[in-house]
Amino acid sequence: MSTLQNVSRRKFLKGMGITGSALVLGAALPGWAPVWAQSNKASELNLFVAIDADGTVSIVCHRSEMGQGIRTGLPQVVADELMADWQKVKVVQGLADERYGSQNTDGSRSVRHFYQTMREMGASARTMLEQAAANRWQVPLSEVAAKDHQVWHKPSGKHAGFGELAADAAALPAPDISALSFKSKADFVYIGKDLPIVDMHDIITGQAQYGQDMRMDNMLYASIERSPVIGANIDSLDDAEARKVPGVVKVIRMPEQNIPVGFSSLPGVAVLASNTWAAMQGRKKLNISWQQSPHGEHDSAAFQQTLNKRVQEPGRVFRSVGDAYAGLANAVQTHEAQYSMPYLIHAPMEPPAATAVFNDGEVEIWSCTQNPQSIQNTVAQVLGIEKDKVTVHVTLLGGGFGRKSKADYSVEAAILAKASGQPVKVVWSREDEIRHGYYHAISAQYFQAGVDDSGRVSSWVQRTAFPSIGWTFNGTADEPSDGELSLGFGDLPFALDNLSCETQKAEGHLRIGWVRSVSNIHHGFAIGSFVDELAAKLEKPPRQMWHELLGPDRMVDPEPEGFKYSNYGDPKETFPIDTKRLKAVLDLAADKAGIEVPQKAGEAWGISVHRSFVSYVAIATKVKVEGKKVKVLEMHCAADCGTVVNPDRVKAQMEGAMIFGLSLALMGEISVKEGAVQQSNFHDYPLLRIQQCPPMQVHLIASDAPPGGVGEPGVPPVAASLANAIYRASGKRIRHLPINKHLQV
Amino acid sequence: MIPFKLNDKNVEVDVQPDMPLLWVLRDLMGLTGTKYGCGMAQCGACTVHLDGTAVRSCTLPVSAVQGKSVTTIEGLSDDGDHPLQIAWAEHKVPQCGYCQCGQIMSAAALLSSNPKPDDTAIDNAMQGNICRCGTYPRIKAAIKSVAAKKVGGAV
Ligand code: FES
Ligand code: FES
């Protein structure tokens, strides 16, 4: 139902950085109804589009920008339906506000979940401007049409700019969504085009503002020493030396925390100073002894062995077809393999940072966050104030990869601002980021496949074990959740007569979180590697092996087979598991790379394909193995992400995903001894550097399917394509990542 | 007081002499285009020019720039019109952008000492700059496009 409200917009719009707007369009999600900002009840409005009398179109981006280009992508959809001139579009970053719907920018779903809403928003505003023009000229609506930031009367050629019409349009009732007309694909001028990102100039001139860049009058800089082992609070503290460091102003103990810690701050001691360096220097002088923690014994190497053993034993069956064990018993040939991957950390280039000001029971926060509403909720809870007393501004993010969905560092800033009575910026160092993260789970998988007398792989047992993200929030989960099993494991898309998907126990000892593509990382590696092992064993070309396993074109539905498949939160009718699309990307990558073309000795292609976040990606990787040294020579990515808004940004995400995948496969390892993370910076948690980066190409499949995920789906097939290439080049099968444990990279 | 030249202006700072230049620039001078990424000369996010040479400001005590000339991204060009900045925009290099000021500063120092670097020279000059988002192929292409123009005398 559309609503007309009577209003002064000034205060509300000022808060959004918009002044003097006439036409303002908002939406209440989900199933939004447009409303006009005509009332002084600004709080009832959830603003998405505003048009100034001078014709400036302000479009709110309610999702966080972390390099995926969303501050360009969503507005470009609105602008297209609105028939606006992109040069007159201003992008405004939305504050935390639940009326925007989810602002949690993870799960590769910004375009997937908001493409249609943005089109409706643009089409509504356009319709209202057209109606205003028709009324002004006393002509039928059917005779006017918007184009190039103006509304035109077709028969007479009369025209009026958006800015001239905005005030009149603002007085009209909002149109019924079901009556809106949308542009056809052929008429798109921005959707599907490579628009440069709106923040380009600011970025390349150093003007872009990230969370780490916040500065305020009277602001203190905080550096926090946190407990090295989760679950340990402070036993004793001597801060006398720290307080003597020039520039140090205050030392504040963070609140105690017990497991589960969730999004809360960790126990620790904050040193507040007049600049970052002084805070860091003061922190080094703290003398803290920590209490014992039940997790102080955790040793990742020993735990890895435990998991490797567990997956070799039958586990809890969560999806089953036929009788896999009978199938294996009757098989003419079987093959088994066990894979593992260590803990990983996000390492966004910008470590977490947040600034807070506390005044009169209200707190205002600036954070490089993927999830401003989560900050609002957690801070309100921790400080014991109402949610509407917490204002959260979203800065640009210097990378996120899932780390910045967590509210912990922003909670720290809020606590310290309240305790100190001054604005406080909490600056995480690189060491903090690596040692106090939310880790990608350490994991193990096991596979056994059986070939029947027709030579077909028809029976398959697979098991996975890894500590669950759930543990971070409840402290009790000791095996993966259905949601995590849905990430590239329980949704195995192979045509098998007999299948048993199983899970094994794995306890939590660190904060476990989601890292770009989450459990798909280890599942994609293990499954993609095992398919290649089967191909080698059965002496079939990898492409053929994949085709045989994927089977006929069909929609795979794990549900009748006993598994509650979450499908990335989307309906399976709209976003089915489509084996035809998997095979299409596989073939495209294989053809573009020329994986079957004979290579020089010591050089070879490897390939893998994976569906995640309802998109389909195949990666082909070529390596050269010389003695103990491997070099990645070239990569091709084929991706089907459905409808694409900004192809260049999709390609950039795929390039980034290939590099992210190479980093983790070649060198990624977080190890833990006596409960504490061993790594601390880029010298011992290395990331891919330019001289290790091969030339790469991305090939997008043109599709009219609804938009799929883009940020994450490129990652899962990378590690397997690389390990498979190494095997083909050298005969060496690497089942336990990272690769630098086996070869020089 | 430590005097030095910053983006062609004479400045003086009154700080602990061992404070790294990075924090002087960011926290005291408000020049936040120079980024913190690691604090131990591992990532290149903090790269500035010291008398024209690329240096990591996170490990450079401010006392070491006394009497010298420091250029940050804010002083590289008047309005983002350095040939590399133009090439960066043309090749749509940045993703999150956080590393890019450091990347551009490293590349600018490279081109001023070697106007036509080959792949190896680019790798050598740029290997200290990490981009977690993964923009290396475009960084390379952007540098090469500027180098190609230089040879033609267009720049
Ligand atoms: S911050 Fe100086 S090299 Fe990383
Ligand atoms: S663009 Fe994000 S780290 Fe380089």
Side-chain angles (χ1 to χ4, degrees):
Chain A
M1 276 281 291
S2 56
T3 326
L4 188 71
Q5 299 174 346
N6 233 346
V7 217
S8 128
R9 302 160 297 254
R10 212 163 295 143
K11 178 173 170 233
F12 175 64
L13 294 171
K14 219 176 110 212
M16 307 297 301
I18 299 167
T19 49
S21 296
L23 172 58
V24 179
L25 192 59
L29 291 163
W32 70 279
V35 290
W36 297 105
Q38 295 281 302
S39 109
N40 49 12
K41 290 193 211 144
S43 60
E44 284 172 18
L45 183 78
N46 156 17
L47 175 84
F48 270 108
V49 183
I51 303 177
D52 261 7
D54 73 355
T56 302
V57 173
S58 298
I59 301 176
V60 168
C61 178
H62 67 303
R63 313 282 290 181
S64 298
E65 177 62 65
M66 49 190 172
Q68 82 281 44
I70 205 61
R71 276 168 53 84
T72 307
L74 288 180
Q76 105 185 59
V77 176
V78 177
D80 205 333
E81 279 296 349
L82 177 57
M83 302 270 191
D85 174 352
W86 187 245
Q87 300 310 319
K88 296 183 180 137
V89 169
K90 191 174 105 189
V91 178
V92 180
Q93 189 66 40
L95 299 171
D97 191 331
E98 65 191 8
R99 286 162 303 168
Y100 284 125
S102 168
Q103 292 177 272
N104 187 9
T105 315
D106 68 13
S108 297
R109 56 194 166 179
S110 290
V111 171
R112 179 154 57 101
H113 288 177
F114 292 95
Y115 178 71
Q116 189 54 29
T117 306
M118 293 301 123
R119 292 190 70 185
E120 289 168 1
M121 201 66 68
S124 295
R126 179 202 349 119
T127 305
M128 301 174 88
L129 292 161
E130 288 171 343
Q131 185 66 59
N135 293 355
R136 183 181 293 184
W137 298 325
Q138 301 285 306
V139 298
L141 181 63
S142 58
E143 288 184 6
V144 304
K147 193 167 190 269
D148 299 337
H149 228 77
Q150 316 213 40
V151 180
W152 301 77
H153 180 234
K154 286 173 274 186
S156 69
K158 253 192 296 209
H159 55 94
F162 282 3
E164 293 168 62
L165 294 165
D168 286 1
L172 294 173
D176 194 341
I177 292 167
S178 59
L180 292 176
S181 65
F182 295 100
K183 290 171 81 169
S184 66
K185 195 177 167 187
D187 296 331
F188 286 160
V189 289
Y190 302 131
I191 299 173
K193 302 296 186 306
D194 294 338
L195 296 191
I197 54 172
V198 294
D199 298 305
M200 179 69 79
H201 184 81
D202 284 351
I203 287 173
I204 60 183
T205 55
Q207 306 306 311
Q209 292 285 305
Y210 300 85
Q212 288 268 357
D213 298 335
M214 268 304 291
R215 300 175 84 239
M216 299 186 78
D217 287 344
N218 199 30
M219 181 180 88
L220 294 175
Y221 297 76
S223 181
I224 306 178
E225 182 73 17
R226 300 172 189 81
S227 106
V229 180
I230 194 150
N233 283 304
I234 295 171
D235 191 28
S236 69
L237 164 68
D238 174 0
D239 61 13
E241 292 303 310
R243 288 177 186 274
K244 286 183 201 152
V245 171
V248 169
V249 178
K250 289 188 165 95
V251 177
I252 296 175
R253 272 170 91 134
M254 300 302 292
E256 296 211 333
Q257 285 299 339
N258 294 312
I259 288 167
V261 291
F263 285 153
S264 302
S265 58
L266 291 173
V269 180
V271 176
L272 286 70
S274 56
N275 62 73
T276 312
W277 174 248
M280 288 173 166
Q281 294 308 104
R283 174 180 165 190
K284 285 186 196 154
K285 297 273 160 70
L286 291 170
N287 204 335
I288 309 173
S289 75
W290 300 97
Q291 295 170 353
Q292 296 289 315
S293 157
H295 300 285
E297 301 288 296
H298 182 52
D299 182 294
S300 57
F303 191 56
Q304 182 70 72
Q305 294 310 315
T306 304
L307 295 181
N308 290 354
K309 277 205 200 83
R310 281 185 191 163
V311 292
Q312 308 206 26
E313 301 295 327
R316 180 176 70 81
V317 178
F318 65 90
R319 178 183 167 198
S320 160
V321 182
D323 184 339
Y325 289 94
L328 289 175
N330 296 329
V332 296
Q333 202 179 358
T334 63
H335 183 64
E336 62 178 341
Q338 193 260 307
Y339 303 90
S340 71
M341 198 182 282
Y343 292 114
L344 301 169
I345 191 65
H346 310 82
M349 213 60 227
E350 177 198 32
T355 305
V357 184
F358 189 90
N359 251 330
D360 277 351
E362 298 199 18
V363 62
E364 194 165 3
I365 296 169
W366 290 260
S367 178
C368 49
T369 181
Q370 292 175 245
N371 194 351
Q373 288 175 33
S374 161
I375 295 177
Q376 213 174 22
N377 294 330
T378 319
V379 167
Q381 203 186 336
V382 170
L383 297 190
I385 56 179
E386 292 300 316
K387 221 165 69 174
D388 62 4
K389 303 275 187 252
V390 184
T391 305
V392 183
H393 303 263
V394 180
T395 66
L396 289 177
L397 282 65
F401 313 118
R403 175 62 184 89
K404 293 175 181 169
S405 311
K406 288 84 172 176
D408 57 334
Y409 53 100
S410 306
V411 173
E412 291 175 339
I415 289 171
L416 292 172
K418 188 178 176 193
S420 70
Q422 273 176 261
V424 174
K425 174 163 75 172
V426 171
V427 178
W428 279 52
S429 67
R430 177 59 57 197
E431 289 78 5
D432 295 337
E433 190 272 328
I434 288 184
R435 290 190 170 150
H436 302 289
Y438 287 77
Y439 299 87
H440 176 78
I442 188 171
S443 74
Q445 289 77 36
Y446 170 84
F447 296 82
Q448 191 175 7
V451 180
D452 62 21
D453 48 17
S454 72
R456 192 177 140 250
V457 175
S458 59
S459 299
W460 185 290
V461 170
Q462 61 174 24
R463 299 185 198 114
T464 187
F466 54 96
S468 171
I469 292 166
W471 184 85
T472 307
F473 297 94
N474 60 26
T476 54
D478 63 356
E479 65 171 64
S481 67
D482 281 350
E484 289 163 316
L485 294 170
S486 293
L487 306 178
F489 198 73
D491 50 350
L492 187 79
F494 295 164
L496 299 159
D497 301 339
N498 305 298
L499 169 66
S500 183
C501 296
E502 306 171 14
T503 168
Q504 267 287 9
K505 296 280 179 208
E507 304 80 8
H509 298 286
L510 296 179
R511 295 194 293 189
I512 303 296
W514 44 101
V515 175
R516 194 178 192 175
S517 85
V518 204
S519 320
N520 285 293
I521 297 177
H522 42 262
H523 294 147
F525 167 62
I527 293 172
S529 296
F530 192 61
V531 171
D532 197 65
E533 291 206 31
L534 290 174
K537 179 120 179 182
L538 304 178
E539 295 177 356
K540 295 179 180 184
R543 186 201 305 239
Q544 185 191 331
M545 190 73 247
W546 278 104
H547 271 270
E548 285 182 19
L549 285 166
L550 289 165
D553 294 350
R554 68 198 194 289
M555 308 301 172
V556 176
D557 185 359
E559 257 184 83
E561 295 159 6
F563 180 45
K564 267 188 75 161
Y565 177 54
S566 63
N567 201 31
Y568 303 92
D570 276 323
K572 62 184 175 191
E573 295 71 27
T574 330
F575 295 99
I577 302 172
D578 185 342
T579 59
K580 188 175 172 190
R581 293 173 78 182
L582 276 162
K583 288 183 281 182
V585 290
L586 172 77
D587 285 336
L588 182 58
D591 291 343
K592 292 288 184 183
I595 63 165
E596 284 99 358
V597 176
Q599 303 291 321
K600 287 187 223 154
E603 295 183 11
W605 285 99
I607 195 162
S608 193
V609 58
H610 194 87
R611 172 187 179 274
S612 63
F613 305 89
V614 307
S615 286
Y616 302 78
V617 180
I619 304 277
T621 301
K622 183 178 169 181
V623 302
K624 173 177 176 173
V625 181
E626 224 171 3
K628 292 290 273 175
K629 187 164 169 45
V630 60
K631 184 166 173 63
V632 184
L633 298 179
E634 189 180 345
M635 293 178 91
H636 286 259
C637 165
D640 174 356
C641 306
T643 298
V644 160
V645 170
N646 190 321
D648 174 71
R649 286 302 87 189
V650 174
K651 286 182 181 166
Q653 282 302 296
M654 294 299 153
E655 292 161 13
M658 284 189 265
I659 289 168
F660 196 95
L662 286 180
S663 281
L664 72 90
L666 290 168
M667 305 173 287
E669 179 175 36
I670 290 289
S671 58
V672 182
K673 277 205 169 46
E674 297 182 350
V677 169
Q678 299 297 290
Q679 289 71 25
S680 62
N681 209 314
F682 296 127
H683 64 292
D684 54 9
Y685 193 77
L687 302 175
L688 202 81
R689 291 177 184 270
I690 197 167
Q691 77 277 13
Q692 295 169 297
C693 182
M696 48 181 60
Q697 284 186 46
V698 178
H699 316 280
L700 298 182
I701 289 197
S703 167
D704 290 330
V710 168
E712 294 168 275
V715 175
V718 175
S721 78
L722 174 61
N724 296 343
I726 290 173
Y727 173 76
R728 302 278 161 186
S730 68
K732 189 171 174 58
R733 172 60 62 183
I734 294 176
R735 291 173 173 165
H736 305 282
L737 294 182
I739 285 164
N740 67 359
K741 293 259 181 259
H742 313 270
L743 293 169
Q744 205 186 317
V745 301
Chain B
M1 281 296 203
I2 298 168
F4 62 101
K5 201 173 244 188
L6 177 60
N7 296 333
D8 277 335
K9 288 198 191 77
N10 291 315
V11 296
E12 277 190 337
V13 292
D14 182 11
V15 292
Q16 301 282 108
D18 63 344
M19 188 188 288
L21 177 64
L22 171 67
W23 302 114
V24 175
L25 293 171
R26 288 180 56 79
D27 293 357
L28 305 176
M29 326 280 301
L31 296 179
T32 53
T34 305
K35 303 300 183 194
Y36 165 76
C38 70
M40 56 182 293
Q42 286 284 322
C43 77
C46 64
T47 305
V48 299
H49 295 170
L50 182 62
D51 288 342
T53 305
V55 293
R56 312 296 179 218
S57 65
C58 67
T59 49
L60 187 74
V62 63
S63 56
V65 308
Q66 175 150 359
K68 298 191 175 168
S69 173
V70 173
T71 306
T72 68
I73 186 74
E74 290 90 349
L76 182 68
S77 64
D78 286 340
D79 189 29
D81 51 3
H82 185 284
L84 280 166
Q85 286 168 313
I86 294 167
W88 244 242
E90 274 173 13
H91 288 82
K92 302 189 173 78
V93 174
Q95 288 187 31
C96 82
Y98 193 79
C99 73
Q100 298 298 343
C101 294
Q103 304 278 3
I104 291 170
M105 294 308 280
S106 288
L110 165 67
L111 290 188
S112 59
S113 68
N114 178 358
K116 203 192 173 222
D118 59 12
D119 276 12
T120 314
I122 294 176
D123 281 352
N124 287 342
M126 302 302 294
Q127 65 182 337
N129 288 79
I130 296 175
C131 175
R132 178 55 153 165
C133 294
T135 63
Y136 300 128
R138 294 179 190 229
I139 287 173
K140 220 174 232 188
I143 295 174
K144 283 184 178 174
S145 74
V146 176
K149 279 185 201 150
K150 282 209 163 165
V151 169
V155 172

